[in-house]
Amino acid sequence: LGAFGGVFKAGFGGADPRLVASIDGVGTKTIVAGMAGDYSGLGADLVNHCVNDILCQGARPLFFLDYFGCGRLEEEAFAQAVGGAAEACRAVGCALIGGETAEMPGVYVDGEVDLVGCIVGLVEGARCLPRAGVASGDRIIGLASSGLHTNGYSLARRALFQGAGLSVGDLMPDGRQTVGQALLQVHRCYFSALWPWISGEESPILALAHITGGGLPDNLPRIIPGGLMARIDDRTWDEPAIFGLIQEAGQISRAEMLHAFNMGIGMTAIVRREDAAAVMQGLGEAGVEAWDIGSLSPGAREAVIA
Amino acid sequence: LGAFGGVFKAGFGGADPRLVASIDGVGTKTIVAGMAGDYSGLGADLVNHCVNDILCQGARPLFFLDYFGCGRLEEEAFAQAVGGAAEACRAVGCALIGGETAEMPGVYVDGEVDLVGCIVGLVEGARCLPRAGVASGDRIIGLASSGLHTNGYSLARRALFQGAGLSVGDLMPDGRQTVGQALLQVHRCYFSALWPWISGEESPILALAHITGGGLPDNLPRIIPGGLMARIDDRTWDEPAIFGLIQEAGQISRAEMLHAFNMGIGMTAIVRREDAAAVMQGLGEAGVEAWDIGSLSPGAREAVIA
């Protein structure tokens, strides 16, 4: 009765509880979903993007709200997207407490949708990331992405569909999935793999950067203290085949690729050199391939990738 | 450093603190803003809509995040909308802690935008609305709206612009403002007028319903307990002229008008009969015209308006 908003109990305890909130969309991945007639992954894309964002400040998800905007509501697309969001919330113990659907003919192109989500999480002040003490010599661990996640879809569509004339049903070079399937791989959620570390008393994780729009060059510097730079060796990890296909199809420079896409690294963690091997092994056991992709050294707060 | 999400201190105190959250948009009011070249009110529309929503559960706003979706970013529209949101947040003591801008050509019609906001507020459990004890004989107080607020714009545009061939620059019948100005009146915020009542120990406000999409017939029943109905006399309040103009221009039935628009009542409060006069006087002193528009009686959880 009277639920104009979702409710969440807020007697958090702890010495210094802090809420961390983020609002985000899934970009024009919605257009690819429409081309493939498959909106089933978009809800998880949205939730996982948000979960990863607040994880970078050490927060675990509490609750989530979604917004589905469209010209005219197509029930099947809506049910797939929102059902996927609900499932992705459950997977990380996050309550889906609200949502809104807006039909806006004249604002949205016929048949297209936008999907927006807002997450609120909790972190105890002493556990906030990034932690103090990130220093020269620290290693940068790269965690494998599942593909484009939710960034770079306008460039990818231009290269693959307009440039190379491919369609979502065409097979990838290895013949194991279609281009549409490769593009629609769900944005990977790093919560389960990282939470056991960052919730612990003596966490080896000093800082986390979610690699979204702007790629490694724009997102890594967000967690690098002044006076330091990141040197990344991009031969250290396995790049999903979709990136090479996009680069070739669109004749895109390596620099532009690195700015538009995560290139196979969806999250980076900064750790002490002596902790790197244990963290990578733990992540691997949690099902997330991870590589030592570089290190911090004195410099001007940038990420140099070569 | 590392701000992938906005942070809010959460040591709330109180016996049973609860967060109340809501996500919402401003509908196709964005299109009218585009026609008039004036996005300055949309941010306040969005914030005030959200503030009013959680106020219906007795919550005061804590923090807000906005999302601006478009085909190609137009800096002026963006600055107007987000600047207005920031100002509206300040007016109610709400922190604007995050936001996202998405350029999605192919999803949004050229030149059109969507504006989405998510608010999180706080209420102490014992102060939650609606309160128990709403009963037959209780009065329904209607609080004046400023116009359409954020609902019914697709129907209004069809009636005024396509039906009657009016433009945003045409004068209203009274000659005191243009049709565009009447349509773009900012969604009224009821927080300042109602908070002194609902935050008090012995509040006379038993329940609040924000009159948004679906109008009085759909929103009032959301706060009516089973076994009761609301009888509303729609001659009891002053209806802004824009509604009559829309109704005439579109040859729209009264029933459809009541479902599409707030018709001049932006918020309703349920109070005891003996408290009605004092509440209306207090609201008037706070600058919000209010009328005794009806009462509750035994019936089947509906609002009958005649």
Side-chain angles (χ1 to χ4, degrees), chain B residues 84-108:
Chain B
E87 200 174 315
C89 281
R90 270 194 302 273
V92 293
C94 180
L96 178 59
I97 65 167
E100 173 73 5
T101 310
E103 285 189 277
M104 297 170 67
V107 170
Y108 288 91

Side-chain angles (χ1 to χ4, degrees), chain A residues 141-183:
Chain A
I141 307 298
L143 281 67
S145 71
S146 56
L148 276 64
H149 285 184
T150 44
N151 288 100
Y153 282 87
S154 292
L155 179 57
R157 289 183 296 116
R158 202 155 56 235
L160 296 173
F161 305 137
Q162 289 161 41
L166 292 168
S167 73
V168 287
D170 288 330
L171 285 175
M172 292 286 292
D174 69 2
R176 290 167 59 187
Q177 57 179 185
T178 64
V179 171
Q181 288 166 333
L183 288 173

Side-chain angles (χ1 to χ4, degrees), chain A residues 8 18 40 64 99 137 175 186 216-217 219 227 265:
Chain A
F8 194 89
R18 297 179 193 181
S40 64
F64 182 83
V186 168
L216 283 163
N219 287 290
I265 299 295

Side-chain angles (χ1 to χ4, degrees), chain A residues 55-148:
Chain A
L55 193 62
C56 293
Q57 285 169 267
R60 69 175 172 87
L62 297 178
F63 60 86
F64 182 83
L65 303 93
D66 65 76
Y67 174 93
F68 187 92
C70 56
R72 300 255 174 241
L73 190 62
E74 287 168 48
E75 294 290 348
E76 180 61 21
F78 175 74
Q80 283 183 14
V82 175
E87 200 175 314
C89 281
R90 270 194 301 274
V92 293
C94 180
L96 178 60
I97 65 167
E100 173 72 5
T101 309
E103 285 189 276
M104 297 171 66
V107 171
Y108 288 91
V109 173
D110 278 352
E112 299 299 339
V113 307
D114 198 0
L115 199 58
V116 181
C118 185
I119 197 165
V120 176
L122 182 71
V123 61
E124 171 61 28
R127 295 269 198 289
C128 271
L129 295 179
R131 304 203 181 176
V134 168
S136 182
D138 288 346
R139 303 303 304 185
I140 299 162
I141 307 298
L143 281 67
S145 71
S146 56
L148 276 64

Side-chain angles (χ1 to χ4, degrees), chain A residues 2 5-6 8 19 57 108 114 222, chain B residues 2 5 8 19 21 57 67 108 114:
Chain A
F8 194 89
L19 296 174
Q57 285 169 267
Y108 288 91
D114 198 0
R222 295 168 75 175
Chain B
F8 194 89
L19 297 174
Q57 286 169 268
Y67 174 93
Y108 288 91
D114 198 0

Side-chain angles (χ1 to χ4, degrees), chain A residues 1-12 16-31 52-54 56-57 62-63 65-67 69-70 72 97-100 102-110 112-120 122-123 128-130 154 157-158 208-212 219 221-226 301, chain B residues 1-12 16-31 52-54 56-57 62-63 65-67 69-70 72 97-100 102-110 112-120 122-123 128-130 154 157-158 208-212 219 221-226 301:
Chain A
L1 203 62
F4 285 79
V7 178
F8 194 89
K9 295 249 182 188
F12 296 124
D16 178 19
R18 297 179 193 181
L19 296 174
V20 182
S22 184
I23 193 164
D24 245 303
V26 297
T28 55
K29 192 168 188 172
T30 56
I31 294 180
N52 291 344
D53 266 352
I54 63 169
C56 293
Q57 285 169 267
L62 297 178
F63 60 86
L65 303 93
D66 65 76
Y67 174 93
C70 56
R72 300 255 174 241
I97 65 167
E100 173 72 5
E103 285 189 276
M104 297 171 66
V107 171
Y108 288 91
V109 173
D110 278 352
E112 299 299 339
V113 307
D114 198 0
L115 199 58
V116 181
C118 185
I119 197 165
V120 176
L122 182 71
V123 61
C128 271
L129 295 179
S154 292
R157 289 183 296 116
R158 202 155 56 235
L208 291 172
H210 188 199
I211 308 305
T212 56
N219 287 290
R222 295 168 75 175
I223 55 166
I224 301 177
R301 228 175 139 225
Chain B
L1 205 62
F4 285 79
V7 178
F8 194 89
K9 294 248 182 189
F12 296 124
D16 179 18
R18 298 180 193 181
L19 297 174
V20 182
S22 184
I23 193 165
D24 244 303
V26 297
T28 55
K29 193 168 188 172
T30 56
I31 295 180
N52 291 343
D53 266 352
I54 64 168
C56 293
Q57 286 169 268
L62 297 179
F63 60 86
L65 303 94
D66 66 75
Y67 174 93
C70 57
R72 299 255 175 241
I97 65 167
E100 173 73 5
E103 285 189 277
M104 297 170 67
V107 170
Y108 288 91
V109 173
D110 277 352
E112 300 298 339
V113 306
D114 198 0
L115 199 58
V116 181
C118 185
I119 197 164
V120 176
L122 182 71
V123 62
C128 271
L129 294 180
S154 293
R157 288 183 297 116
R158 202 154 57 235
L208 291 171
H210 188 200
I211 308 305
T212 57
N219 287 290
R222 296 168 74 175
I223 56 167
I224 301 177
R301 228 176 140 226

